[in-house]
Amino acid sequence: MGSIVDELDLNGHPFGPQTLPYGSFTTPGRPEPRLGVRVGDERVLDLTAAAEPLLPEHAPLLEEGTLDRLLAAGPETWARVRAAVTEWLTEGRHRDRIVPLLVPAEAARPRLPFTVADYVDFYASEHHATNLGRILRPGGEPLTPNWRHMPIGYHGRAGTVVVSGTPVTRPAGQRREPDGTISHGPSRRLDFEAEVGFVVGTASRPGRPVPLAEADRHLFGVCLVNDWSARDIQAWEYVPLGPFLGKSFATSVSPWVVPLAALDHARVAPPPREPRPLPYLDDTALSPPWGLDLKLTVELNGHRLSHPPAAGLYWTAAQQLAHLTANGAWLRPGDLLASGTVSGPERDQRGSLIELTWNGAEPLTLPDGTTRAFLADGDEITVTATAPGPAGARIGLGEVRGRVVRWGT
Ligand code: MN
């Protein structure tokens, strides 16, 4: 008897056996959340239901229907659960027990896959930081003096992280008008930021920084992030303490968390750093390297805007983790670290509208003839990504999608 993977012809599919991402879902008439594994385009394996008969020693970790307990359980348990799921799907002897546990993907309504503990947004793309520096501080040095010495970041709002598909209400806030007066109202410069999210599993100890070499014991997986940004609110409020209400109204994440174990073939050397970072951030001798060759695509209302490449990010997730804990702060399961906007050197690799339209000075024309400097009500942004997998296969990261809803509706 053939395996499920053979029967469904999923070898080489982006959600094939080399990927096996985790998510949380409900189905019509069954409101209790279940943990699922995405299998191809059309199916979700109900892992919560499968665990009781097939993986009883780990069933308590999976019965809540979210990733929370599995995240906290640590890397050895992550490996055992992934090995078990791989075996169920790829060995023919499990076929008859697995088939009844497959849910049609169209019936699986995604939820936030894990409880977001803390949310930190970094600024790891040199091209993005340079573009923003040129736009916001013309004539000066585009990168601030600290930028090449540490991964710059800020603490965001965990409670407003939402799963893909959740409508995003246009935020309101204070804006400085061109004549210098201050007003309050709906943002006129709403933007997206295409980012990679890193999901923390294992906690760390207070007062004990996480060295680069231990990042793989703490980082569970990767998702896609859209860090919605109101540029007018942000520009007025961010001096001197950084982003606040221009970012905190909503952050969207993709529903399927791809375990780092699926991304071995995507590991690439990060770009060379000059000057050499301090020892706690110096990853020169780190093996495997922590650069990740994820290729992102951004669409506005189905029209492709750009293809940001994550492989070129200057600071890696391991360095972000090391820096975040370098002061003695500790990690909790469910911490979400976002890379910051991913932008490459080319125009069609920019991961935000502020860069693509150069702060509105060069509006985009869409196929329907309308133009955009920033997002209009009703606009839908979709970010997708894939990464290299084994034997020429691609790893699918799925998508993070969100539609802008008018303020006051
Ligand atoms: Mn951001």
Side-chain angles (χ1 to χ4, degrees):
M1 187 162 36
S3 72
I4 301 274
V5 159
D6 293 333
E7 188 173 317
L8 300 175
D9 196 19
L10 293 176
N11 288 298
H13 187 284
F15 285 138
Q18 77 284 9
T19 308
L20 305 180
Y22 297 98
S24 179
F25 69 99
T26 58
T27 49
R30 269 191 77 179
E32 67 277 19
R34 283 171 278 164
L35 193 61
V37 174
R38 185 71 186 254
V39 183
D41 283 330
E42 292 166 16
R43 288 169 183 83
V44 174
L45 170 67
D46 185 338
L47 190 56
T48 300
E52 194 63 49
L54 294 174
L55 199 60
E57 71 273 29
H58 293 312
L61 298 177
L62 311 169
E63 69 187 9
E64 263 187 351
T66 78
L67 269 176
D68 293 356
R69 290 186 192 167
L70 182 61
L71 289 179
E76 288 76 20
T77 304
W78 307 340
R80 281 199 293 272
V81 172
R82 182 168 165 82
V85 174
T86 304
E87 189 183 301
W88 302 341
L89 295 169
T90 57
E91 294 186 11
R93 63 197 170 94
H94 296 292
R95 184 211 171 270
D96 290 350
R97 289 200 292 183
I98 293 301
V99 165
L101 301 170
L102 294 173
V103 176
E106 61 184 14
R109 186 175 175 196
R111 306 170 64 257
L112 259 189
F114 58 97
T115 306
V116 180
D118 282 298
Y119 164 47
V120 176
D121 192 26
F122 285 93
Y123 198 47
S125 160
E126 179 177 2
H127 302 290
H128 173 71
T130 301
N131 284 337
L132 268 282
R134 287 195 178 120
I135 290 167
L136 300 175
R137 296 180 298 277
E141 272 298 316
L143 291 181
T144 49
N146 52 8
W147 198 89
R148 290 183 192 280
H149 293 275
M150 64 172 108
I152 301 295
Y154 67 94
H155 280 90
R157 189 165 181 83
T160 50
V161 176
V162 297
V163 74
S164 176
T166 307
V168 171
T169 301
R170 177 179 299 274
Q174 284 198 23
R175 309 154 305 189
R176 182 165 50 187
E177 305 289 349
D179 67 2
T181 59
I182 306 305
S183 65
H184 185 280
S187 170
R188 300 178 186 117
R189 291 180 166 250
L190 182 59
D191 199 354
F192 64 84
E193 293 191 335
E195 308 197 8
V196 178
F198 298 94
V199 180
V200 171
T202 328
S204 68
R205 293 214 307 271
R208 189 190 169 278
V210 174
L212 293 171
E214 289 178 25
D216 58 355
R217 297 199 56 79
H218 295 278
L219 286 172
F220 173 82
V222 173
C223 62
L224 298 174
V225 175
N226 181 348
D227 175 31
W228 304 92
S229 301
R231 301 302 182 190
D232 42 2
I233 300 171
Q234 182 184 357
W236 171 229
E237 76 180 0
Y238 90 105
V239 180
L241 283 184
F244 188 40
L245 303 182
K247 300 275 195 174
S248 65
F249 56 95
T251 306
S252 301
V253 296
S254 57
W256 300 103
V257 178
V258 173
L260 274 159
L263 292 168
D264 287 349
H265 291 79
R267 297 287 197 101
V268 291
R273 280 60 159 259
E274 182 59 42
R276 194 164 178 159
L278 290 174
Y280 79 98
L281 291 172
D282 186 354
D283 61 0
T284 318
L286 200 60
S287 179
W290 268 94
L292 281 179
D293 183 16
L294 309 185
K295 290 188 165 61
L296 280 61
T297 296
V298 184
E299 293 183 1
L300 196 177
N301 301 339
H303 169 65
R304 288 191 175 189
L305 289 186
S306 65
H307 304 272
L313 290 174
Y314 193 89
W315 298 107
T316 68
Q319 289 170 315
Q320 291 168 359
L321 208 65
H323 188 60
L324 173 65
T325 56
N327 65 346
W330 56 101
L331 303 171
R332 295 189 295 170
D335 283 350
L336 174 64
L337 317 184
S339 61
T341 308
V342 181
S343 291
E346 306 300 328
R347 195 175 193 286
D348 67 357
Q349 295 178 326
R350 295 172 182 171
S352 66
L353 273 179
I354 191 172
E355 294 167 271
L356 284 162
T357 70
W358 213 252
N359 204 19
E362 304 166 17
L364 302 173
T365 302
L366 300 181
D368 66 1
T370 59
T371 60
R372 293 289 185 286
F374 290 94
L375 294 172
D377 292 338
D379 279 352
E380 184 176 70
I381 290 292
T382 306
V383 182
T384 58
T386 64
R394 301 293 295 174
I395 302 286
L397 275 289
E399 64 174 32
V400 56
R401 185 170 46 80
R403 188 180 293 280
V404 178
V405 175
R406 190 166 63 88
W407 169 256
T409 49

